[in-house]
């Protein structure tokens, strides 16, 4: 085995990537890092304005990207996005299941419709996009990388986030199950589990939770309460970990859940 | 915002790698040197350590060898001091030295138990404490990477002592990460699965004596349990260590990255 150089390990030139929810927050940071590494990025989001902004910024920096309106919870949209990616970039090598929602509400006030919505975007969406993308990867016969966004909340429950906790616990086991079944096709499936990260989403959730009657104390406890490194993370902290998983530096790792939480789960 | 090249640039930093003479430790030393770090290679086998140094120097890197026992408290202090004397600072410690002698549980002597625990678990404690002391004094933070194993998560048979040592390394990693976080010293572990090294080749021979299975049969058995269908290379572990030592992992502490080709899934 000839050993690739460090620069070669992290070079994604010629690769096509799909990032769901790439319009803002963590997904946007992931799009920027994959693009910096040389990948062409399909930015899929329900919010087309946001997706277009990510694409414009990538193009400003000299990268290649395209925006597509898609709901991560829709099987039809998964097919549409995969077809568009193959069409635009010639191949699909990396999928990042990033789109996710995390409404905060005490469990006794969670209605069935809300439960269904969280599970269908966070869990079923990851399944649908992984299956559709893996089909294209298997047909191409070159293997690939699938990276799911889990969460520390999938390992340890966060208060007032019951559907979310359950969805991310599901994402963790889905990641391992897909890794096991897709390994013969050289498709590696891993997850990154962020702790508290400052994104537009966490800011919105904080605002709406306050409106719903949660106190500031309850909120700050659920967000940055006990982090040994004493800071919330930035979207790029997660994007770096996703870049690692997408790179050749992680070619013997599959079914792993990489925690990026500033030590939160230790405390 | 740092570029990707900047994230993985360790120029101006120095690293101490225990057991850097052969196998995984050698691959780690070569990778960290390629990233620009000066490497202090410790090993009980000075000849092997010197060979790694030669390889690093041949490709333009900086390294020095020192004979040291990774289970000795005095050697921990001595190697920490030698690193400071040579490179002026100490930013990275990789607790890699470890042994995995095959022995059925009912035949394992107290002496063998002590030898394995002293090196794999206590050595990791001693070196981390000695090096963290230097890092705290310098007040620039640091990175500590421990070599755990999938055997610290699930037993394979015939290595109960080893399983116990690596299970201990995993929890030691988390405990030290928690206590050292205020000093910005990040502590993580890599848990490799089956990696082809001089050490595992010897294990194959030992297993053959105990189980009576041929090496070929064992290789088939192992391959069948690994979803990716092959054992790993030392470089594949070294690449993950590089990630953890780099600025790309600055928000990660107390984490155990499994590098096993999916072995734990099966
Ligand atoms: N921010 C955190 O602290 C944190 C912590 C752990 C895990 N995560 C996970 O990381 C991921 C991203 O989180 P974020 O904080 O960046 O979110 P965000 O709300 O800031 O951004 C999410 C993006 O996804 C898009 N999106 C939402 N629903 C979608 C759907 N059905 N289909 C397609 N796109 C959709 C949004 O339009 C937006 O662009 C989520 O899976 C989240 O659960 C975040
Ligand atoms: N190879 C694998 O499949 C595998 C799997 C999981 C974990 N690991 C772990 O990775 C580490 C390295 O394993 P390897 O397979 O490369 O081993 P190896 O036997 O091939 O090499 C080990 C090196 O450590 C040195 N060493 C041994 N005892 C020492 C001591 N007391 N003080 C200083 N140096 C000492 C040896 O001289 C040698 O250079 C170990 O901690 C091992 O438990 C290996």
């Amino acid at each position: 085995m000839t050993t690739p150089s460090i620069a070669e390990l992290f070079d994604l030139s010629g690769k096509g990537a799909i990032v769901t929810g790439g319009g803002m927050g963590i997904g946007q940071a992931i799009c920027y890092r994959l693009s910096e590494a040389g990948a062409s990025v399909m930015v899929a989001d329900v919010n087309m304005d946001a997706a277009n902004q990510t694409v414009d910024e990538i193009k400003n920096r000299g990268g290649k990207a395209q925006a597509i309106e898609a709901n991560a919870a829709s099987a039809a949209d998964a097919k549409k996005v995969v077809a568009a990616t193959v069409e635009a970039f010639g191949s699909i090598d990396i999928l990042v299941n990033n789109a996710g929602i995390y409404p905060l509400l005490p469990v006794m006030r969670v209605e069935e419709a809300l439960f269904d919505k969280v599970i269908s975007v966070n869990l079923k969406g990851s399944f649908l996009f992984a299956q559709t993308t893996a089909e294209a990867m298997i047909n191409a016969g070159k293997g690939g990388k699938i990276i799911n966004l889990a969460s520390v909340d999938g390992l340890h429950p966060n208060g007032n986030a019951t559907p979310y906790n359950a969805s991310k616990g599901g994402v963790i086991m889905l990641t391992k199950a897909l890794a096991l079944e897709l390994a013969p096709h050289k498709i590696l499936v891993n997850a990154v589990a962020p702790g508290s990260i400052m994104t537009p989403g966490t800011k919105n959730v904080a605002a709406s939770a306050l409106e719903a009657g949660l106190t500031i104390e309850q909120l700050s406890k659920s967000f940055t309460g006990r982090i040994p490194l004493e800071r919330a993370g930035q979207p790029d902290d997660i994007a770096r970990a996703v870049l690692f998983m997408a790179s050749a530096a992680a070619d013997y790792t599959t079914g792993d859940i990489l925690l990026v939480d500033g030590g939160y789960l230790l405390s | 915002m740092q570029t990707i090249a900047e994230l993985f640039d360790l120029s101006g930093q120095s690293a101490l790698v225990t057991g850097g003479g052969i196998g995984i430790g050698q691959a780690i030393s070569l990778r960290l040197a390629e990233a620009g770090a000066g490497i202090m290679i410790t090993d009980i086998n000075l000849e092997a350590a010197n060979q790694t140094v030669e390889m690093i120097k041949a490709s333009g890197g900086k390294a020095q060898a020192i004979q040291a026992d990774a289970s000795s408290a005095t050697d921990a202090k001595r190697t920490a001091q030698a690193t400071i004397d040579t490179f002026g600072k100490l930013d990275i410690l990789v607790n890699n030295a470890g042994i995995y002698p095959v022995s059925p549980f009912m035949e394992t002597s107290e002496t063998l138990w002590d030898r394995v625990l002293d090196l794999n678990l206590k050595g990791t404690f001693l070196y981390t404490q000695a090096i963290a002391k230097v890092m705290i004094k310098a007040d620039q933070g640091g990175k500590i990477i421990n070599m755990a194993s999938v055997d610290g998560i699930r037993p394979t048979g015939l290595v109960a002592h080893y399983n116990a040592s690596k299970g201990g390394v995993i929890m030691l990693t988390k405990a030290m990460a928690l206590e050292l976080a205020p000093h910005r010293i990040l502590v993580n572990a890599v848990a490799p699965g089956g990696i082809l090294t001089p050490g595992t080749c010897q294990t194959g021979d030992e297993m053959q004596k105990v189980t009576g299975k041929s090496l070929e049969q064992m290789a088939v058995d192992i391959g069948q349990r690994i979803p990716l269908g092959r054992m790993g290379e030392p470089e594949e572990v070294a690449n993950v260590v590089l990630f953890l030592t780099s600025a790309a992992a600055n928000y990660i502490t107390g984490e155990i990255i499994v590098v096993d080709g999916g072995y734990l899934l099966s």
Side-chain angles (χ1 to χ4, degrees), chain A residues 1 3-7 9-10 33 36-37 175-177 179-180 183-184 186-188 195-197 227-234 236-238 240-241 243-245 248-264 266-267, chain B residues 1-5 7-8 31-32 34-36 173-175 177-178 181-182 184-186 193-195 226-233 235-236 239-240 242-244 247-263 265-266:
Chain A
M1 187 173 110
T3 307
S5 69
I6 294 173
L9 285 180
F10 295 99
R33 281 296 180 192
E36 185 192 349
T175 301
K176 298 188 187 201
L180 182 61
K186 305 276 167 279
I187 299 172
L188 277 51
S196 278
I197 311 297
I227 302 172
L229 289 185
E230 293 173 338
R231 66 169 175 98
Q234 296 298 325
D236 192 49
D237 287 311
I238 306 308
R240 294 171 186 193
L243 168 68
F244 163 68
M245 282 299 187
D251 272 356
Y252 199 57
T253 296
T254 192
D256 191 45
I257 313 301
L258 175 54
L259 280 169
V260 185
D261 68 348
Y264 168 79
L266 304 170
S267 72
Chain B
M1 180 91 69
Q2 289 167 288
T3 63
I4 294 172
L7 287 177
F8 294 99
R31 255 317 173 212
L32 298 187
E34 184 191 348
T173 300
K174 298 187 188 198
L178 182 62
R184 284 174 299 117
I185 297 171
L186 310 191
I195 309 295
I226 303 174
L228 287 185
R230 64 174 176 91
M231 283 180 76
E233 302 287 338
E235 289 76 17
E236 296 182 296
N239 293 338
V240 179
L242 169 69
F243 166 68
L244 284 173
N250 276 353
Y251 198 58
I252 302 180
T253 194
E255 168 64 346
I256 317 298
I257 301 188
V258 176
V259 187
D260 70 345
Y263 166 77
L265 306 169
S266 71

Side-chain angles (χ1 to χ4, degrees), chain B residues 18-26 28 42-46 48-49 68-72 75 95-100 115 119-120 127 146-151 162 165-166 190-202 231-232 234 237:
Chain B
T18 69
I22 56 176
I24 294 173
Q26 181 182 70
I28 292 169
T42 82
D43 209 299
I44 34 166
N45 181 344
L46 187 59
D69 183 346
S71 61
S72 149
D75 281 8
N95 283 307
N96 163 78
I99 48 172
Y100 34 88
R115 198 156 67 83
L119 175 56
N120 298 5
Y127 270 66
N146 299 325
M147 216 34 72
S149 167
V150 290
D151 283 291
Y162 182 67
S165 74
K166 294 296 184 177
V190 175
I195 309 295
L196 282 164
T197 64
T200 47
C201 291
Q202 194 187 328
M231 283 180 76
V237 178

